[in-house]
Amino acid sequence: MTVPILMYHEISARPDTTFSRLAVTPQAFAAQLEYLVKHGFTTFTASAIAAALATGAPLPERAVVLTFDDGFADFHERALPLLRQYGCTATLFVTTGWIADVGQHAAGRRPGRMLAWSQIIEAAADGIEIGAHSHAHPQLDQLGRKRLRAELTVSKRLLEDALGTSVPGLAYPFGYSSVAVRRVAIEAGYAYACAAGNAMASPQRDLFALPRLTVKASTGEGAFCHAASGQSLSKVYRADRMLTKGWAVVRRTRAIVTGVPVRA
Ligand SMILES: [Zn+2]
């Protein structure tokens, strides 16, 4: 049994960033939720599925996890109303240094209009799981141990202080991790972590490298249905997975040559 964990970024017709290939329009997102509901899928938070994987409990049938990275303001404006309308839940991974009113803790360069604390708290009150997505969105696998530890602990603590609950979930920026990153994530008290990888989550998977399937502007109905059903990976995702692997090599080379991180 496998559970698809879908990865979204912006839900916006006119993305606030130049990385529009990841932005899914509200219309497409609504159609995807309608498909899930119509076909008897139940949405779970990533922590619920991670807990099932950790204990060996049977994974629910026709389960799917919707995750949102970065903490764009359109999650509150576009995604949350649709999730409410269709009775779906989700996990929102927030880069804490980018939060609109994070004040003195601001870190990194915001890629667009980001969520404010009140909106994150409102989403949590609605049953949305809030997870960490680091503090300044660096490539964690490129950091020294001290900075790595700070990235993973500061984001967790800020979220826990604001929400008044524990934050067991982490999503690696760009999906990048390493043995060292996963070890520090465990030490920081996380219960699970999501990567990218474009594969299904299954009991054989490492809880600290849960793979996710990217949903983006170019994800058509066919690819989405394949991803949600978990029966087989479509050619689209197979091609994507090869790109992911190839890209990692390109990125490493580029990081060495220029020192400039590449956003994904
Ligand atoms: Zn991100």
Side-chain angles (χ1 to χ4, degrees), residues 9 69-70 133 137 173-174:
H9 288 78
D69 279 15
D70 298 338
H133 191 45
H137 208 277
F174 314 99

Side-chain angles (χ1 to χ4, degrees), residues 9 69-72 93 95 98 133 137 171-175 212 263-264:
H9 288 78
D69 279 15
D70 298 338
F72 287 101
F93 292 110
T95 302
W98 288 351
H133 191 45
H137 208 277
Y172 304 119
F174 314 99
R212 294 188 291 172
R263 188 175 181 272

Side-chain angles (χ1 to χ4, degrees), residues 29-83:
F29 183 57
Q32 290 163 2
L33 293 182
E34 184 153 333
Y35 172 88
L36 295 176
V37 170
K38 217 183 235 174
H39 290 83
F41 284 94
T42 308
T43 52
F44 289 86
T45 60
S47 69
I49 294 302
L53 290 172
T55 59
L59 293 171
E61 269 185 66
R62 290 182 103 64
V64 62
V65 178
L66 311 176
T67 69
F68 295 81
D69 279 15
D70 298 338
F72 287 101
D74 58 47
F75 178 82
H76 184 264
E77 288 160 19
R78 306 288 188 193
L80 194 55
L82 289 169
L83 291 167

Side-chain angles (χ1 to χ4, degrees), residues 169-216:
L170 167 69
Y172 304 119
F174 314 99
Y176 301 151
S177 73
S178 63
V179 173
V181 170
R182 295 192 284 276
R183 192 185 308 128
V184 172
I186 293 167
E187 287 167 7
Y190 291 99
Y192 75 91
C194 289
N198 283 335
M200 303 284 175
S202 64
Q204 294 77 34
R205 295 277 176 183
D206 181 350
L207 270 179
F208 283 81
L210 293 176
R212 294 188 291 172
L213 301 164
T214 311
V215 183
K216 52 192 172 186

Side-chain angles (χ1 to χ4, degrees), residues 43 78-79 96 99-100 104 120 151 165-166 191 213 216 218 263:
T43 52
R78 306 288 188 193
T96 45
I99 294 170
Q104 57 164 341
I120 295 166
E151 280 292 333
T165 57
S166 73
L213 301 164
K216 52 192 172 186
S218 62
R263 188 175 181 272

